[in-house]
Amino acid sequence: MKRYFIRALKSVVLFFILAMLLFAVSFVLGNSSSNPITFMDLLQGSDLSSLVIFGVVFGVVYPLFGYVKRKVYTNHPLDEEKQEVIRLFAEVRFELQSDNDKKLIFRHKNPVARFMRLCEDRIEIDYSDNPVLLSGLRRDIDRLASRIQKLITSDNKL
């Protein structure tokens, strides 16, 4: 629950930073010498209360849908393919941060990608039981869960 509140707060802050950048860009591009406008005039002409409500709702709702847990079913323990999974994550620019108690934790290597994901780029793989449980950002988990499933099934066919 604590993680949810941190993610929600980060989402709200990111939304307002992006909104302010959008206002700044529109001010710079829309301001002309024939029709001068101040930044405060631009803000007062906008519906800020709706923007604030939308930003808070966005920040509260996004972590509910943006972060997931996925199950990957295996026929055998993932211990046998652990090195292959680590190699698979390295191909998509994730590095192993820790491997404790049958839990692998990966972080993205690229600092820009980490920033764009609000430093919530951590992917956890719990392989202590079947099914293997992956948790993290939805777009990464969906892509990597299918790749892990293909890795496991391709090993079974050999």
Side-chain angles (χ1 to χ4, degrees):
M1 195 62 146
K2 179 182 174 185
R3 190 137 212 67
Y4 167 78
F5 288 117
I6 291 171
R7 288 174 176 167
L9 181 63
K10 285 181 179 182
S11 297
V12 169
V13 170
L14 178 67
F15 176 80
F16 286 116
I17 289 172
L18 291 176
M20 283 295 118
L21 286 175
L22 185 64
F23 273 112
V25 167
S26 64
F27 172 72
V28 170
L29 295 178
N31 203 2
S32 66
S33 59
S34 63
N35 188 13
I37 186 171
T38 66
F39 191 71
M40 290 307 292
D41 291 338
L42 179 67
L43 288 177
Q44 289 173 352
S46 303
D47 187 9
L48 291 180
S49 61
S50 295
L51 186 66
V52 169
I53 291 169
F54 179 78
V56 170
V57 169
F58 170 79
V60 170
V61 171
Y62 179 72
L64 294 174
F65 299 107
Y67 299 92
V68 295
K69 291 184 179 184
R70 292 280 188 256
K71 296 176 182 176
V72 176
Y73 293 93
T74 63
N75 294 334
H76 54 280
L78 193 67
D79 291 342
E80 299 171 14
E81 279 102 6
K82 186 167 84 168
Q83 291 305 318
E84 290 296 319
V85 169
I86 292 171
R87 194 176 356 258
L88 182 134
F89 273 77
E91 288 175 7
V92 292
R93 304 198 33 89
F94 279 87
E95 62 186 351
L96 182 65
Q97 187 179 23
S98 70
D99 180 8
N100 297 325
D101 302 325
K102 294 208 175 225
K103 286 186 180 181
L104 298 171
I105 297 176
F106 293 91
R107 300 297 295 249
H108 206 283
K109 289 180 183 178
N110 188 343
V112 175
R114 292 193 71 209
F115 175 74
M116 293 305 293
R117 294 173 176 156
L118 305 173
C119 293
E120 292 289 339
D121 60 330
R122 186 174 114 156
I123 294 179
E124 184 177 309
I125 301 175
D126 183 356
Y127 62 99
S128 60
D129 199 10
N130 190 9
V132 175
L133 188 64
L134 281 78
S135 60
L137 191 62
R138 177 184 297 272
R139 65 178 177 214
D140 294 331
I141 294 300
D142 289 343
R143 178 175 44 119
L144 292 167
S146 66
R147 290 186 72 177
I148 290 173
Q149 188 69 47
K150 286 178 187 176
L151 174 75
I152 292 170
T153 57
S154 69
D155 284 348
N156 289 337
K157 292 179 182 177
L158 294 177

